[in-house]
Tab-separated table of all heavy atoms in Angstrom:
chain	number	residue	atom	x	y	z
A	30	LEU	N	42.675	33.103	-22.169
A	30	LEU	CA	42.158	32.566	-23.424
A	30	LEU	C	40.757	31.985	-23.344
A	30	LEU	O	39.999	32.069	-24.307
A	30	LEU	CB	43.116	31.487	-23.957
A	30	LEU	CG	44.552	31.944	-24.226
A	30	LEU	CD1	45.406	30.757	-24.646
A	30	LEU	CD2	44.572	33.046	-25.266
A	31	ALA	N	40.407	31.353	-22.215
A	31	ALA	CA	39.157	30.597	-22.208
A	31	ALA	C	38.680	30.277	-20.796
A	31	ALA	O	39.448	30.338	-19.831
A	31	ALA	CB	39.341	29.285	-22.977
A	32	LEU	N	37.406	29.894	-20.722
A	32	LEU	CA	36.849	29.334	-19.496
A	32	LEU	C	37.325	27.887	-19.418
A	32	LEU	O	37.178	27.130	-20.380
A	32	LEU	CB	35.320	29.387	-19.553
A	32	LEU	CG	34.597	28.971	-18.271
A	32	LEU	CD1	34.766	30.059	-17.198
A	32	LEU	CD2	33.122	28.727	-18.544
A	33	THR	N	37.901	27.516	-18.293
A	33	THR	CA	38.434	26.158	-18.147
A	33	THR	C	37.652	25.326	-17.149
A	33	THR	O	37.836	24.111	-17.073
A	33	THR	CB	39.913	26.199	-17.726
A	33	THR	OG1	40.027	26.937	-16.499
A	33	THR	CG2	40.775	26.860	-18.802
A	34	GLY	N	36.782	25.964	-16.374
A	34	GLY	CA	35.993	25.224	-15.405
A	34	GLY	C	34.786	26.021	-14.958
A	34	GLY	O	34.809	27.253	-14.942
A	35	LEU	N	33.715	25.302	-14.642
A	35	LEU	CA	32.523	25.905	-14.057
A	35	LEU	C	31.864	24.801	-13.243
A	35	LEU	O	31.419	23.795	-13.801
A	35	LEU	CB	31.572	26.421	-15.135
A	35	LEU	CG	30.434	27.308	-14.615
A	35	LEU	CD1	29.974	28.259	-15.701
A	35	LEU	CD2	29.275	26.512	-14.103
A	36	TRP	N	31.853	24.990	-11.922
A	36	TRP	CA	31.346	23.967	-11.024
A	36	TRP	C	30.383	24.563	-10.011
A	36	TRP	O	30.474	25.726	-9.665
A	36	TRP	CB	32.500	23.331	-10.229
A	36	TRP	CG	33.628	22.842	-11.055
A	36	TRP	CD1	33.728	21.641	-11.701
A	36	TRP	CD2	34.858	23.524	-11.315
A	36	TRP	NE1	34.939	21.559	-12.346
A	36	TRP	CE2	35.647	22.693	-12.131
A	36	TRP	CE3	35.361	24.776	-10.946
A	36	TRP	CZ2	36.912	23.046	-12.570
A	36	TRP	CZ3	36.624	25.145	-11.394
A	36	TRP	CH2	37.384	24.285	-12.187
A	37	PHE	N	29.516	23.706	-9.490
A	37	PHE	CA	28.713	24.080	-8.331
A	37	PHE	C	29.632	24.064	-7.121
A	37	PHE	O	30.566	23.268	-7.039
A	37	PHE	CB	27.537	23.119	-8.155
A	37	PHE	CG	26.501	23.271	-9.223
A	37	PHE	CD1	26.483	22.421	-10.322
A	37	PHE	CD2	25.548	24.278	-9.157
A	37	PHE	CE1	25.540	22.567	-11.323
A	37	PHE	CE2	24.603	24.435	-10.159
A	37	PHE	CZ	24.600	23.575	-11.240
A	38	GLU	N	29.358	24.929	-6.172
A	38	GLU	CA	30.222	25.126	-5.010
A	38	GLU	C	30.614	23.816	-4.320
A	38	GLU	O	31.775	23.625	-3.955
A	38	GLU	CB	29.506	26.055	-4.021
A	38	GLU	CG	30.240	26.309	-2.736
A	38	GLU	CD	29.490	27.260	-1.824
A	38	GLU	OE1	28.243	27.345	-1.902
A	38	GLU	OE2	30.158	27.914	-1.037
A	39	ALA	N	29.673	22.908	-4.142
A	39	ALA	CA	29.940	21.667	-3.414
A	39	ALA	C	30.908	20.743	-4.144
A	39	ALA	O	31.443	19.816	-3.547
A	39	ALA	CB	28.632	20.928	-3.144
A	40	GLU	N	31.162	21.009	-5.416
A	40	GLU	CA	32.029	20.136	-6.208
A	40	GLU	C	33.514	20.472	-6.084
A	40	GLU	O	34.346	19.699	-6.537
A	40	GLU	CB	31.676	20.238	-7.694
A	40	GLU	CG	30.297	19.767	-8.054
A	40	GLU	CD	30.058	19.987	-9.530
A	40	GLU	OE1	30.581	19.191	-10.329
A	40	GLU	OE2	29.378	20.969	-9.875
A	41	VAL	N	33.851	21.619	-5.530
A	41	VAL	CA	35.244	22.048	-5.550
A	41	VAL	C	35.873	22.001	-4.162
A	41	VAL	O	35.187	22.053	-3.141
A	41	VAL	CB	35.398	23.465	-6.161
A	41	VAL	CG1	34.944	23.495	-7.594
A	41	VAL	CG2	34.659	24.496	-5.361
A	42	GLU	N	37.183	21.935	-4.170
A	42	GLU	CA	37.944	21.867	-2.927
A	42	GLU	C	38.017	23.239	-2.264
A	42	GLU	O	37.860	24.272	-2.909
A	42	GLU	CB	39.350	21.348	-3.227
A	42	GLU	CG	39.338	19.953	-3.812
A	42	GLU	CD	40.706	19.503	-4.282
A	42	GLU	OE1	41.706	20.213	-4.039
A	42	GLU	OE2	40.770	18.437	-4.908
A	43	ASN	N	38.298	23.222	-0.971
A	43	ASN	CA	38.318	24.464	-0.187
A	43	ASN	C	39.323	25.485	-0.698
A	43	ASN	O	39.060	26.680	-0.640
A	43	ASN	CB	38.589	24.162	1.289
A	43	ASN	CG	37.377	23.537	1.961
A	43	ASN	OD1	36.252	23.716	1.506
A	43	ASN	ND2	37.613	22.802	3.032
A	44	ASP	N	40.484	25.028	-1.214
A	44	ASP	CA	41.469	25.996	-1.688
A	44	ASP	C	40.969	26.747	-2.918
A	44	ASP	O	41.264	27.929	-3.101
A	44	ASP	CB	42.833	25.338	-1.949
A	44	ASP	CG	42.770	24.203	-2.951
A	44	ASP	OD1	41.718	23.559	-3.085
A	44	ASP	OD2	43.800	23.945	-3.603
A	45	ILE	N	40.168	26.090	-3.757
A	45	ILE	CA	39.585	26.765	-4.922
A	45	ILE	C	38.496	27.739	-4.460
A	45	ILE	O	38.406	28.857	-4.961
A	45	ILE	CB	39.051	25.752	-5.947
A	45	ILE	CG1	40.231	24.978	-6.559
A	45	ILE	CG2	38.223	26.437	-7.022
A	45	ILE	CD1	39.835	23.886	-7.522
A	46	LEU	N	37.691	27.314	-3.480
A	46	LEU	CA	36.677	28.229	-2.941
A	46	LEU	C	37.330	29.479	-2.361
A	46	LEU	O	36.856	30.600	-2.586
A	46	LEU	CB	35.845	27.541	-1.862
A	46	LEU	CG	34.916	26.418	-2.318
A	46	LEU	CD1	34.276	25.740	-1.122
A	46	LEU	CD2	33.865	26.938	-3.275
A	47	ALA	N	38.418	29.292	-1.646
A	47	ALA	CA	39.128	30.431	-1.058
A	47	ALA	C	39.686	31.333	-2.161
A	47	ALA	O	39.605	32.560	-2.066
A	47	ALA	CB	40.243	29.945	-0.142
A	48	ALA	N	40.240	30.734	-3.213
A	48	ALA	CA	40.792	31.520	-4.311
A	48	ALA	C	39.687	32.307	-5.023
A	48	ALA	O	39.899	33.448	-5.446
A	48	ALA	CB	41.525	30.622	-5.300
A	49	ALA	N	38.506	31.710	-5.136
A	49	ALA	CA	37.395	32.393	-5.796
A	49	ALA	C	36.910	33.585	-4.973
A	49	ALA	O	36.345	34.531	-5.528
A	49	ALA	CB	36.240	31.422	-6.038
A	50	ASP	N	37.128	33.544	-3.660
A	50	ASP	CA	36.702	34.644	-2.790
A	50	ASP	C	37.679	35.823	-2.810
A	50	ASP	O	37.333	36.916	-2.368
A	50	ASP	CB	36.546	34.154	-1.354
A	50	ASP	CG	35.285	33.327	-1.166
A	50	ASP	OD1	34.344	33.499	-1.966
A	50	ASP	OD2	35.251	32.516	-0.226
A	51	LEU	N	38.893	35.601	-3.307
A	51	LEU	CA	39.876	36.684	-3.354
A	51	LEU	C	39.621	37.579	-4.556
A	51	LEU	O	39.207	37.107	-5.617
A	51	LEU	CB	41.293	36.088	-3.470
A	51	LEU	CG	41.766	35.254	-2.288
A	51	LEU	CD1	43.107	34.611	-2.612
A	51	LEU	CD2	41.873	36.118	-1.036
A	52	PRO	N	39.874	38.867	-4.402
A	52	PRO	CA	39.747	39.743	-5.565
A	52	PRO	C	40.774	39.325	-6.608
A	52	PRO	O	41.922	39.060	-6.292
A	52	PRO	CB	40.050	41.134	-5.032
A	52	PRO	CG	40.218	41.005	-3.565
A	52	PRO	CD	40.297	39.565	-3.211
A	53	GLY	N	40.343	39.222	-7.824
A	53	GLY	CA	41.245	38.845	-8.901
A	53	GLY	C	40.855	39.550	-10.176
A	53	GLY	O	39.913	40.354	-10.193
A	54	PRO	N	41.552	39.259	-11.231
A	54	PRO	CA	41.253	39.940	-12.493
A	54	PRO	C	39.878	39.550	-13.016
A	54	PRO	O	39.462	38.399	-12.906
A	54	PRO	CB	42.357	39.450	-13.427
A	54	PRO	CG	42.822	38.159	-12.846
A	54	PRO	CD	42.629	38.276	-11.374
A	55	ASP	N	39.173	40.526	-13.539
A	55	ASP	CA	37.881	40.266	-14.173
A	55	ASP	C	38.164	40.000	-15.654
A	55	ASP	O	38.050	40.890	-16.487
A	55	ASP	CB	36.936	41.439	-13.974
A	55	ASP	CG	35.518	41.104	-14.409
A	55	ASP	OD1	35.187	39.893	-14.483
A	55	ASP	OD2	34.750	42.028	-14.690
A	56	LEU	N	38.561	38.780	-15.927
A	56	LEU	CA	38.949	38.407	-17.279
A	56	LEU	C	37.788	38.563	-18.262
A	56	LEU	O	36.633	38.388	-17.882
A	56	LEU	CB	39.424	36.948	-17.297
A	56	LEU	CG	40.612	36.599	-16.395
A	56	LEU	CD1	40.847	35.097	-16.394
A	56	LEU	CD2	41.847	37.356	-16.855
A	57	PRO	N	38.088	38.863	-19.513
A	57	PRO	CA	37.022	38.944	-20.518
A	57	PRO	C	36.154	37.680	-20.554
A	57	PRO	O	34.937	37.784	-20.685
A	57	PRO	CB	37.780	39.150	-21.830
A	57	PRO	CG	39.056	39.815	-21.426
A	57	PRO	CD	39.397	39.225	-20.076
A	58	VAL	N	36.768	36.524	-20.399
A	58	VAL	CA	35.974	35.288	-20.444
A	58	VAL	C	35.033	35.194	-19.246
A	58	VAL	O	33.938	34.629	-19.367
A	58	VAL	CB	36.871	34.037	-20.575
A	58	VAL	CG1	37.620	33.725	-19.276
A	58	VAL	CG2	36.055	32.844	-21.035
A	59	PHE	N	35.399	35.759	-18.116
A	59	PHE	CA	34.489	35.787	-16.970
A	59	PHE	C	33.298	36.705	-17.258
A	59	PHE	O	32.157	36.377	-16.946
A	59	PHE	CB	35.199	36.238	-15.693
A	59	PHE	CG	36.169	35.227	-15.117
A	59	PHE	CD1	37.154	35.637	-14.247
A	59	PHE	CD2	36.100	33.878	-15.429
A	59	PHE	CE1	38.046	34.731	-13.680
A	59	PHE	CE2	36.983	32.957	-14.877
A	59	PHE	CZ	37.964	33.384	-14.006
A	60	ARG	N	33.556	37.858	-17.856
A	60	ARG	CA	32.458	38.765	-18.213
A	60	ARG	C	31.520	38.104	-19.225
A	60	ARG	O	30.290	38.188	-19.094
A	60	ARG	CB	33.011	40.085	-18.764
A	60	ARG	CG	33.703	40.933	-17.686
A	60	ARG	CD	34.027	42.336	-18.160
A	60	ARG	NE	34.959	42.381	-19.280
A	60	ARG	CZ	36.288	42.379	-19.178
A	60	ARG	NH1	36.854	42.321	-17.978
A	60	ARG	NH2	37.044	42.460	-20.248
A	61	GLN	N	32.084	37.425	-20.210
A	61	GLN	CA	31.266	36.731	-21.217
A	61	GLN	C	30.459	35.605	-20.580
A	61	GLN	O	29.283	35.417	-20.889
A	61	GLN	CB	32.155	36.168	-22.325
A	61	GLN	CG	32.821	37.220	-23.160
A	61	GLN	CD	33.957	36.643	-23.997
A	61	GLN	OE1	34.254	35.452	-23.955
A	61	GLN	NE2	34.604	37.510	-24.763
A	62	THR	N	31.085	34.863	-19.674
A	62	THR	CA	30.391	33.747	-19.022
A	62	THR	C	29.269	34.261	-18.132
A	62	THR	O	28.168	33.700	-18.125
A	62	THR	CB	31.384	32.889	-18.211
A	62	THR	OG1	32.408	32.408	-19.100
A	62	THR	CG2	30.686	31.718	-17.553
A	63	ARG	N	29.532	35.340	-17.378
A	63	ARG	CA	28.468	35.912	-16.545
A	63	ARG	C	27.300	36.381	-17.416
A	63	ARG	O	26.140	36.166	-17.071
A	63	ARG	CB	29.008	37.068	-15.694
A	63	ARG	CG	29.888	36.634	-14.543
A	63	ARG	CD	30.135	37.760	-13.543
A	63	ARG	NE	30.477	39.034	-14.148
A	63	ARG	CZ	31.715	39.455	-14.415
A	63	ARG	NH1	32.747	38.673	-14.135
A	63	ARG	NH2	31.918	40.653	-14.947
A	64	ALA	N	27.594	37.008	-18.549
A	64	ALA	CA	26.527	37.469	-19.452
A	64	ALA	C	25.752	36.270	-19.993
A	64	ALA	O	24.516	36.297	-20.063
A	64	ALA	CB	27.119	38.291	-20.600
A	65	TRP	N	26.449	35.200	-20.341
A	65	TRP	CA	25.796	33.977	-20.837
A	65	TRP	C	24.888	33.406	-19.752
A	65	TRP	O	23.730	33.078	-20.008
A	65	TRP	CB	26.856	32.961	-21.265
A	65	TRP	CG	26.329	31.800	-22.033
A	65	TRP	CD1	26.350	31.637	-23.387
A	65	TRP	CD2	25.707	30.604	-21.509
A	65	TRP	NE1	25.779	30.431	-23.737
A	65	TRP	CE2	25.371	29.787	-22.598
A	65	TRP	CE3	25.399	30.166	-20.226
A	65	TRP	CZ2	24.746	28.552	-22.446
A	65	TRP	CZ3	24.769	28.934	-20.074
A	65	TRP	CH2	24.452	28.139	-21.173
A	66	LEU	N	25.426	33.275	-18.543
A	66	LEU	CA	24.650	32.720	-17.432
A	66	LEU	C	23.464	33.615	-17.075
A	66	LEU	O	22.382	33.108	-16.766
A	66	LEU	CB	25.542	32.492	-16.212
A	66	LEU	CG	26.578	31.370	-16.344
A	66	LEU	CD1	27.608	31.455	-15.223
A	66	LEU	CD2	25.905	30.003	-16.384
A	67	ASP	N	23.647	34.936	-17.106
A	67	ASP	CA	22.538	35.852	-16.837
A	67	ASP	C	21.394	35.609	-17.818
A	67	ASP	O	20.224	35.541	-17.427
A	67	ASP	CB	22.984	37.308	-16.944
A	67	ASP	CG	23.867	37.773	-15.786
A	67	ASP	OD1	23.931	37.068	-14.752
A	67	ASP	OD2	24.488	38.848	-15.936
A	68	LEU	N	21.717	35.491	-19.103
A	68	LEU	CA	20.695	35.203	-20.108
A	68	LEU	C	20.040	33.852	-19.845
A	68	LEU	O	18.812	33.726	-19.840
A	68	LEU	CB	21.306	35.213	-21.518
A	68	LEU	CG	21.659	36.567	-22.091
A	68	LEU	CD1	22.482	36.408	-23.368
A	68	LEU	CD2	20.402	37.379	-22.362
A	69	TYR	N	20.866	32.843	-19.630
A	69	TYR	CA	20.363	31.485	-19.418
A	69	TYR	C	19.403	31.440	-18.226
A	69	TYR	O	18.290	30.929	-18.332
A	69	TYR	CB	21.535	30.516	-19.212
A	69	TYR	CG	21.087	29.097	-18.960
A	69	TYR	CD1	20.806	28.249	-20.015
A	69	TYR	CD2	20.924	28.615	-17.662
A	69	TYR	CE1	20.378	26.949	-19.796
A	69	TYR	CE2	20.493	27.323	-17.430
A	69	TYR	CZ	20.219	26.497	-18.498
A	69	TYR	OH	19.783	25.215	-18.271
A	70	PHE	N	19.822	31.962	-17.093
A	70	PHE	CA	18.985	31.892	-15.899
A	70	PHE	C	17.771	32.812	-15.968
A	70	PHE	O	16.809	32.616	-15.229
A	70	PHE	CB	19.809	32.146	-14.632
A	70	PHE	CG	20.643	30.962	-14.214
A	70	PHE	CD1	22.021	31.007	-14.271
A	70	PHE	CD2	20.043	29.787	-13.790
A	70	PHE	CE1	22.788	29.906	-13.904
A	70	PHE	CE2	20.795	28.680	-13.418
A	70	PHE	CZ	22.174	28.737	-13.477
A	71	SER	N	17.780	33.791	-16.867
A	71	SER	CA	16.601	34.633	-17.051
A	71	SER	C	15.585	33.984	-17.994
A	71	SER	O	14.528	34.556	-18.244
A	71	SER	CB	17.000	36.010	-17.580
A	71	SER	OG	17.369	35.930	-18.940
A	72	GLY	N	15.904	32.806	-18.501
A	72	GLY	CA	14.975	32.079	-19.366
A	72	GLY	C	15.184	32.311	-20.852
A	72	GLY	O	14.411	31.822	-21.671
A	73	ARG	N	16.223	33.054	-21.194
A	73	ARG	CA	16.516	33.281	-22.611
A	73	ARG	C	17.640	32.348	-23.056
A	73	ARG	O	18.479	31.940	-22.246
A	73	ARG	CB	16.904	34.733	-22.848
A	73	ARG	CG	15.701	35.670	-22.604
A	73	ARG	CD	16.069	37.100	-22.777
A	73	ARG	NE	16.878	37.487	-21.610
A	73	ARG	CZ	17.410	38.669	-21.428
A	73	ARG	NH1	17.257	39.600	-22.335
A	73	ARG	NH2	18.093	38.951	-20.345
A	74	ILE	N	17.645	32.036	-24.334
A	74	ILE	CA	18.684	31.168	-24.889
A	74	ILE	C	19.830	32.054	-25.373
A	74	ILE	O	19.634	32.858	-26.289
A	74	ILE	CB	18.140	30.316	-26.050
A	74	ILE	CG1	16.973	29.457	-25.571
A	74	ILE	CG2	19.250	29.439	-26.632
A	74	ILE	CD1	16.239	28.724	-26.695
A	75	PRO	N	21.001	31.923	-24.764
A	75	PRO	CA	22.134	32.745	-25.206
A	75	PRO	C	22.470	32.459	-26.675
A	75	PRO	O	22.435	31.314	-27.111
A	75	PRO	CB	23.277	32.305	-24.287
A	75	PRO	CG	22.591	31.733	-23.079
A	75	PRO	CD	21.339	31.091	-23.608
A	76	ASP	N	22.797	33.509	-27.417
A	76	ASP	CA	23.122	33.346	-28.831
A	76	ASP	C	24.626	33.449	-29.072
A	76	ASP	O	25.071	33.733	-30.181
A	76	ASP	CB	22.365	34.369	-29.684
A	76	ASP	CG	22.717	35.803	-29.327
A	76	ASP	OD1	23.469	36.025	-28.345
A	76	ASP	OD2	22.243	36.713	-30.029
Side-chain angles (χ1 to χ4, degrees):
L30 301 176
L32 186 72
T33 58
L35 191 154
W36 308 276
F37 290 98
E38 177 179 27
E40 296 177 77
V41 298
E42 298 172 7
N43 287 336
D44 57 333
I45 293 176
L46 292 174
D50 285 336
L51 296 174
D55 190 21
L56 301 173
V58 72
F59 288 160
R60 290 191 298 274
Q61 293 165 0
T62 302
R63 287 193 315 269
W65 192 99
L66 291 166
D67 287 346
L68 286 170
Y69 179 85
F70 283 113
S71 74
R73 293 178 287 179
I74 301 172
D76 61 354

